Amino acid sequence: MTENDPQPQIAGVDEHDSAHDNAAATADAIAADADEAASDEVVEPEETQQQNDSGAPFMIDTAESLQSNDDAAEDKNEAATDNTNATKAEEGEQQKQKVIKKVVPPLPLDWTKMAECNEEDIAPADAIRYPWDVMEFPLPPDQSETHLTIVGTAGQKITRMGSNLDEYVSDNLTHLVLRSHLIRTMEGVSKLKHLELLELYDNMIDEINDLCPGELVDKGEEEEEDDGLPAKNLRVLDISYNVIRDMNPISQCLNLQELYIAQNKIKSIRGIGQLTQLRKVDLGANRIRVMEEEELSGLINLEELWLGKNKIEHIGGISKLTKLRRLDVQSNRLTSIENLEGQVDTLEELYLAHNGIDVEGAKCPTGLALPFKQLNTIDMSRNRLTDTSPFAHLTSLNELWISGNDIKTFDDVEYIRSLVELDGVYLEYNPVASDFEYRKKLVEIVPNLTQIDATMVGGIGQHGYLTGGGSGDNLLERMRQMQDQVIQKAAAETEASGSKEDE
């Protein structure tokens, strides 16, 4: 290359350009220079003078610049490789930590002792607690005590009656009440020979037992004075709100007068056919479907039969219960009222709310169509009645509850005009009750009414407010009577408390 030859031109370099751009520009200039001087003597330029944007000269060593750019590229690649390796190493470390976390440390040598817990950590039903754990019993027992009542409270619920209960109570115990506890098994009762009342209401008992010593009943040995006790002496048995499925063992209680076995899991009436002394039976809230005549017909002295909240579809089996005064078959599956011939002279209260009885079903010849002589209360709320005609001839009625039916007009109510003894009627939640003059028109139909729904007529309502429907003189007279009653009651209570203090 001669002095007249043009110098190889290198694009101006901005001090802010990247090393990558410098390397590319320099490489292009060198390649073009080499082609042009192929036949000439090659003189390797050592230095190139350029000017920057400001006009100040600076020198660039082309070879060193190329080497520098190559080194920068290698450094960049090495840095990228190092970053990749570092990322992989970090991921490997994280994976290793995850694996380490899953490793379960070995159990300590005394691991069996770690399961120990305090009494308060045990579920109440699993704790072992006897009557003498929640109540002080004098030892030896006071033989004058005939009644024992323990009602369960939080943290003080009995779970075991105790087979040796007789050692803690009087030999003369007649009343035993263990209400609202967590008792699962009846025990210790067979040794209480004089027991007349047993109440185990609201427990967790699933079987009736220990009412009679099993060995004597099973062997059929000759009866002695104490044989069959306490079942033979029991007069009242209340085992409601438990989980009992079989009531057959009650057949041992031949002198039982009151039986309460509501809210259990009984599907059929069994074991009471021979209990002729029964006066009251409550079998409500069970799973009974049929009123068994074989069992019920023997209850010739029965006065009250409560069968609400079951699955009964027909009233039956009570034709021989000629002393029955109260019958409750509400919240069942009835569509008619029937088979009440045996109660024409005795039935006083009939509860049939929450069924599916319509007017025709209520007028069955063996139902309300009969001329009942003592019937004073009927509850047929929440049925399918459209008028009051089934009650027109029941002149002994005092209270009639027919709320929640489909009685629409006062013409449908006119049928009870003849009930001169009627003093209370419930017609709320019927279409007719939305009439503006509902109360006034009812009083016009039945002038003797003293209560409409839950409110007194012309007196004090359910919430203590004065209500209309009577004259001013009438209202004043009622208030004077109420005042006199309050004064008399207060005087009686004062006299009673004074007598106790004198004693």
Side-chain angles (χ1 to χ4, degrees):
M1 181 178 298
T2 63
E3 293 181 355
N4 296 325
D5 292 334
Q7 293 291 331
Q9 298 295 318
I10 301 176
V13 179
D14 194 318
E15 60 182 359
H16 299 289
D17 291 339
S18 64
H20 177 75
D21 295 333
N22 289 337
T26 304
D28 291 341
I30 291 174
D33 216 11
D35 292 339
E36 184 179 348
S39 59
D40 298 331
E41 181 182 358
V42 177
V43 179
E44 204 54 44
E46 294 181 357
E47 295 179 347
T48 303
Q49 183 175 355
Q50 292 291 331
Q51 289 184 343
N52 61 12
D53 293 340
S54 61
F58 67 92
M59 302 302 294
I60 296 178
D61 189 330
T62 305
E64 289 179 2
S65 177
L66 289 173
Q67 183 64 37
S68 175
N69 291 331
D70 292 339
D71 292 341
E74 289 178 4
D75 292 340
K76 185 176 181 180
N77 293 335
E78 288 177 2
T81 303
D82 292 340
N83 290 337
T84 303
N85 293 336
T87 302
K88 291 182 179 179
E90 185 178 352
E91 290 176 353
E93 186 66 24
Q94 291 178 353
Q95 189 66 24
K96 184 177 179 181
Q97 289 178 359
K98 289 182 181 179
V99 173
I100 291 175
K101 289 180 181 178
K102 293 181 181 178
V103 176
V104 179
L107 291 173
L109 296 177
D110 57 347
W111 65 273
T112 55
K113 296 181 181 180
M114 296 175 64
E116 295 179 357
C117 58
N118 299 323
E119 182 179 352
E120 55 268 19
D121 297 330
I122 301 175
D126 296 332
I128 298 177
R129 193 174 291 113
Y130 294 94
W132 45 89
D133 292 327
V134 302
M135 179 178 177
E136 292 186 4
F137 284 78
L139 291 176
D142 185 355
Q143 298 301 323
S144 64
E145 292 291 339
T146 59
H147 292 60
L148 173 61
T149 299
I150 306 177
V151 178
T153 57
Q156 297 292 316
K157 289 186 179 291
I158 299 167
T159 59
R160 305 278 183 87
M161 294 177 65
S163 57
N164 58 336
L165 180 62
D166 60 302
E167 298 176 6
Y168 293 83
V169 299
S170 167
D171 294 337
N172 301 312
L173 190 71
T174 60
H175 290 63
L176 175 60
V177 178
L178 301 176
R179 175 190 288 252
S180 298
H181 291 283
L182 298 171
I183 300 169
R184 297 179 184 272
T185 304
M186 290 177 62
E187 57 182 349
V189 179
S190 60
K191 299 176 183 178
L192 308 178
K193 304 299 182 181
H194 300 283
L195 199 62
E196 297 180 2
L197 181 149
L198 176 60
E199 180 183 324
L200 298 173
Y201 178 98
D202 189 17
N203 278 280
M204 301 171 66
I205 298 169
D206 59 2
E207 185 178 359
I208 302 171
N209 51 32
D210 207 42
L211 291 177
C212 184
E215 61 273 10
L216 295 178
V217 175
D218 295 339
K219 293 181 180 179
E221 297 178 359
E222 185 176 349
E223 185 176 347
E224 299 179 2
E225 184 178 356
D226 289 343
D227 287 355
L229 298 177
K232 191 167 64 176
N233 276 343
L234 268 183
R235 300 294 186 270
V236 179
L237 177 61
D238 187 350
I239 46 178
S240 297
Y241 285 83
N242 282 278
V243 288
I244 296 168
R245 298 177 184 274
D246 181 16
M247 54 185 290
N248 267 308
I250 297 174
S251 61
Q252 303 168 3
C253 308
L254 297 176
N255 294 306
L256 199 63
Q257 296 179 2
E258 296 183 16
L259 172 62
Y260 304 90
I261 190 169
Q263 195 68 46
N264 279 276
K265 297 184 178 182
I266 296 170
K267 292 184 177 181
S268 59
I269 303 174
R270 292 284 187 273
I272 62 175
Q274 305 300 319
L275 308 184
T276 57
Q277 301 302 313
L278 274 174
R279 301 287 192 275
K280 183 175 181 178
V281 173
D282 185 355
L283 287 165
N286 278 286
R287 303 173 181 180
I288 299 169
R289 295 179 180 272
V290 179
M291 298 173 65
E292 302 280 355
E293 184 172 5
E294 182 180 353
E295 293 289 331
L296 296 175
S297 61
L299 309 181
I300 55 177
N301 290 305
L302 194 67
E303 297 179 3
E304 299 184 24
L305 179 58
W306 302 84
L307 291 167
K309 294 186 178 180
N310 278 285
K311 301 178 180 181
I312 299 170
E313 297 182 358
H314 301 284
I315 298 175
I318 59 174
S319 59
K320 296 183 180 180
L321 307 186
T322 56
K323 294 184 179 180
L324 195 65
R325 297 186 299 110
R326 293 185 180 90
L327 177 61
D328 174 12
V329 201
Q330 63 181 329
S331 297
N332 277 276
R333 301 175 179 179
L334 302 178
T335 57
S336 61
I337 306 172
E338 53 191 345
N339 300 321
L340 299 179
E341 304 99 310
Q343 292 74 45
V344 172
D345 296 327
T346 60
L347 192 63
E348 297 176 5
E349 300 175 12
L350 181 61
Y351 301 99
L352 301 172
H354 293 273
N355 279 287
I357 305 170
D358 58 14
V359 171
E360 295 302 319
K363 287 183 175 181
C364 287
T366 60
L368 286 185
L370 295 169
F372 292 95
K373 297 178 180 179
Q374 305 293 331
L375 189 58
N376 57 64
T377 301
I378 292 179
D379 183 0
M380 287 190 64
S381 302
R382 304 292 177 180
N383 276 278
R384 300 174 181 175
L385 300 176
T386 55
D387 62 49
T388 58
S389 58
F391 318 109
H393 64 291
L394 302 175
T395 55
S396 59
L397 274 183
N398 296 132
E399 293 190 26
L400 178 61
W401 301 351
I402 48 177
S403 58
N405 280 277
D406 193 26
I407 300 173
K408 297 178 180 178
T409 68
F410 286 98
D411 290 337
D412 300 325
V413 182
E414 277 288 336
Y415 298 98
I416 61 175
R417 184 183 288 274
S418 58
L419 305 183
V420 294
E421 299 293 331
L422 191 65
D423 57 13
V425 63
Y426 282 75
L427 267 167
E428 57 188 346
Y429 304 117
N430 279 280
V432 69
S434 61
D435 189 282
F436 179 74
E437 295 184 315
Y438 162 65
R439 296 177 60 82
K440 178 181 178 182
K441 291 181 179 180
L442 272 183
V443 173
E444 291 174 354
I445 295 173
V446 187
N448 292 328
L449 284 178
T450 59
Q451 180 176 334
I452 297 175
D453 300 331
T455 308
M456 302 298 294
V457 175
I460 305 299
Q462 183 184 26
H463 302 290
Y465 300 111
L466 296 178
T467 61
S471 65
D473 294 340
N474 234 356
L475 180 58
L476 288 174
E477 181 61 27
R478 286 177 182 274
M479 294 180 67
R480 290 192 189 98
Q481 292 176 1
M482 293 175 65
Q483 187 179 26
D484 292 340
Q485 290 175 359
V486 172
I487 293 173
Q488 291 173 6
K489 183 178 179 181
E493 290 177 353
T494 303
E495 184 178 353
S497 61
S499 301
K500 290 182 179 179
E501 291 178 357
D502 294 340
E503 293 177 359

